[in-house]
Amino acid sequence: MLRALHRVERNGGAPGVDGMTVEELRPFLRAHWEQIRKDLLQGGYTPQPVRRVEIPKPNGGVRHLGVPVVLDRLIEQALLQVLTPIFDPHFSEQSYGYRPGRRAHDAVRRAQAYVRGGARWVVDLDLDRFFDRVNHDMVMARVARRVQDKRVLKLLRAYLNAGVMVNGVVVETFEGTPQGGSLSPLLGNILLDDLDRELERRGHRFCRYADDCNIYVDSRRAAERVLASVIQFIENRLKLRVNQAKSAVDRVYRRVILGFTFLPGPAAKIRIAPEALQKAKATLRDLTRRTRSQSMTSRIEAVNAYLRGWIGYFALAETPSVITALEEWVRRRLRLCLWAQWPRVRTRYRRLRQLGMPEHSARALANARRGPWRMAGKALSWFLDKTFWRQQGLGSVTEQYHRLRAAW
């Protein structure tokens, strides 16, 4: 329980329906732990409903997240710590999501190995609202195969049936596991392990990350046959739905796996998916809006923080030219912001001269009538170059990329 408490405090997060914050959890436990412990041991503990939060999806629509109260987060984390060693060693080697010692990069590398081995077609499966449709009876039956303690089973069932608070009203839940709870990923893997075992039994090459599953085959005809049979298995045996509008059979280099795709050719180099790159640019565009009232130092700090996290994931890509181009694009965005801060001709002239620009060039640029984006291109790049921005504190995403690649 103490290890679970440290984890909950480290993760932080918003309060649930009772309004208790993570900082208030320890004092609450000091006052009430004996009664909570008694309820848990006697099988009488009742979880509270989760607070529903709607998160917009990048491609439209919303994702429903459930925010448990912090006490329930603590107990769920403790359960997860005990149940993971029981179930995880028996999961498929082709399952990568939410498992200790595994990550998305491992799934992408496995997919690359399949493509290099000759698989040129992929069956891209999309489960429709998977976490909202998990069948409680089916997942509990699979948990009961390895867990005999009736109190644990009763507590797990209570978490599944805790309900959701929507606009102040508690709505009962008869299916699904709330996204946001610690146990949901493990319970999802327990249910989808049946799919993994079926695909292994059929001899398919596949990799699954949570509810994203890609199956790699040699021909379009085989891929279409596999898609039809796997949909039948998922919907009849697991009582889940396949989103047939998003599921597809296609060439491997046309489909996205966890933010990446592959270049055509036998080497099948990993590259950043265009959609992921556009999403990054949209975020950076917002951080570097010239209308944002913010100092350049604060703006650069925000860009650095975002790019550090972004490249930490996307450094898996084997196309450094894309990273270099993104870095130059970011510098151009910052030049745009800087130019917008010099609205007058005399201000521009003075600033350009301070940067060491010859008088005739500074005068010509200060009086230029081109738009800010054009001015932020080659016209200003000679003096507001990489060295200048490094002096302002801008980190080099290209250097971070090569450093991470070397460490791997």
Side-chain angles (χ1 to χ4, degrees):
M1 292 301 301
L2 188 59
R3 186 155 58 95
L5 177 61
H6 290 156
R7 183 64 179 266
V8 169
E9 289 176 332
R10 188 165 63 250
N11 289 344
V17 295
D18 63 353
M20 185 189 298
T21 65
V22 173
E23 291 75 20
E24 296 170 331
L25 180 57
R26 273 185 188 254
F28 178 83
L29 290 173
R30 290 191 186 101
H32 300 93
W33 174 244
E34 286 304 319
Q35 183 59 48
I36 296 168
R37 182 176 181 274
K38 182 180 177 181
D39 291 342
L40 287 169
L41 291 174
Q42 293 180 353
Y45 181 82
T46 303
Q48 296 189 55
V50 299
R51 180 169 62 88
R52 173 165 290 178
V53 177
E54 294 184 348
I55 305 296
K57 293 183 178 180
N59 54 354
V62 294
R63 176 179 285 108
H64 292 146
L65 298 184
V67 180
V69 300
V70 290
L71 178 59
D72 285 337
R73 264 182 259 173
L74 170 69
I75 297 169
E76 280 192 68
Q77 180 62 37
L79 278 170
L80 181 68
Q81 290 169 181
V82 175
L83 293 176
T84 297
I86 295 173
F87 287 94
D88 191 79
H90 302 279
F91 288 152
S92 168
E93 284 296 312
Q94 319 308 320
S95 167
Y96 295 93
Y98 305 109
R99 296 184 60 190
R102 288 168 170 254
R103 56 179 183 163
H105 288 180
D106 300 324
V108 177
R109 288 193 180 102
R110 175 60 65 93
Q112 183 185 41
Y114 291 147
V115 177
R116 286 177 172 175
R120 293 291 181 264
W121 292 85
V122 62
V123 178
D124 191 350
L125 282 172
D126 185 272
L127 298 183
D128 187 28
R129 295 171 57 204
F130 167 69
F131 286 103
D132 295 334
R133 299 187 185 279
V134 169
N135 184 287
H136 290 178
D137 292 334
M138 294 189 72
V139 75
M140 287 304 303
R142 284 154 178 77
V143 172
R145 293 172 187 170
R146 298 188 182 277
V147 176
Q148 282 73 47
D149 193 320
K150 302 297 183 184
R151 296 168 300 179
V152 173
L153 296 175
K154 182 179 179 181
L155 183 58
L156 285 173
R157 174 71 77 166
Y159 272 113
L160 290 174
N161 295 335
V164 179
M165 182 77 77
V166 182
N167 297 324
V169 178
V170 177
V171 179
E172 290 186 275
T173 50
F174 300 101
E175 65 176 5
T177 63
Q179 294 187 64
S182 301
L183 288 169
S184 293
L186 176 63
L187 296 177
N189 274 335
I190 289 172
L191 181 59
L192 289 177
D193 190 56
D194 282 21
L195 172 62
D196 298 339
R197 298 306 176 187
E198 178 65 16
L199 295 176
E200 287 177 348
R201 188 186 66 80
R202 298 181 185 186
H204 290 313
R205 294 167 289 181
F206 73 98
C207 51
R208 181 179 64 80
Y209 191 95
D211 55 336
D212 291 328
C213 184
N214 288 348
I215 308 168
Y216 295 87
V217 295
D218 297 332
S219 69
R220 183 183 189 92
R221 186 173 180 181
E224 290 172 345
R225 186 172 62 249
V226 168
L227 177 62
S229 63
V230 171
I231 287 175
Q232 187 176 20
F233 176 84
I234 291 172
E235 296 187 344
N236 294 342
R237 291 281 296 277
L238 302 182
K239 308 303 179 187
L240 299 170
R241 291 186 190 175
V242 174
N243 187 332
Q244 300 199 30
K246 292 185 178 179
S247 299
V249 165
D250 209 341
R251 292 281 188 180
V252 290
Y253 54 82
R254 291 180 186 150
R255 305 300 294 184
V256 176
I257 172 171
L258 301 172
F260 297 94
T261 184
F262 304 102
L263 290 174
K269 286 188 176 181
I270 300 170
R271 69 184 180 106
I272 302 169
E275 299 89 338
L277 196 59
Q278 289 305 314
K279 183 179 177 182
K281 282 190 171 184
T283 302
L284 290 165
R285 195 176 282 113
D286 182 63
L287 293 175
T288 57
R289 271 203 331 265
R290 53 180 172 154
T291 56
R292 183 189 287 267
S293 180
Q294 182 179 27
S295 70
M296 185 58 70
T297 300
S298 299
R299 199 186 302 268
I300 289 174
E301 286 175 356
V303 169
N304 282 341
Y306 175 77
L307 285 177
R308 274 196 301 270
W310 185 85
I311 198 61
Y313 180 76
F314 284 103
L316 183 67
E318 299 169 316
T319 51
S321 60
V322 175
I323 309 298
T324 303
L326 178 66
E327 184 175 354
E328 170 52 33
W329 182 85
V330 169
R331 288 197 295 268
R332 186 171 181 178
R333 290 289 308 177
L334 291 173
R335 289 195 294 268
L336 171 72
C337 296
L338 198 59
W339 190 252
Q341 292 177 5
W342 305 339
R344 297 183 177 182
V345 172
R346 63 185 179 186
T347 304
R348 293 172 182 173
Y349 174 77
R350 186 176 70 253
R351 294 291 189 182
L352 292 172
R353 288 288 288 153
Q354 289 172 353
L355 292 171
M357 185 175 288
E359 181 180 353
H360 67 280
S361 299
R363 195 176 300 281
L365 286 179
N367 285 279
R369 293 293 179 262
R370 285 173 285 178
W373 181 246
R374 286 189 64 192
M375 290 300 299
K378 287 186 178 181
L380 291 174
S381 64
W382 293 103
F383 290 89
L384 302 179
D385 58 3
K386 187 186 299 185
T387 302
F388 170 82
W389 289 112
R390 181 167 295 184
Q391 292 169 350
Q392 306 307 307
L394 181 66
S396 171
V397 69
T398 303
E399 289 180 5
Q400 294 174 47
Y401 168 80
H402 289 297
R403 190 161 54 246
L404 287 168
R405 298 281 304 176
W408 293 344

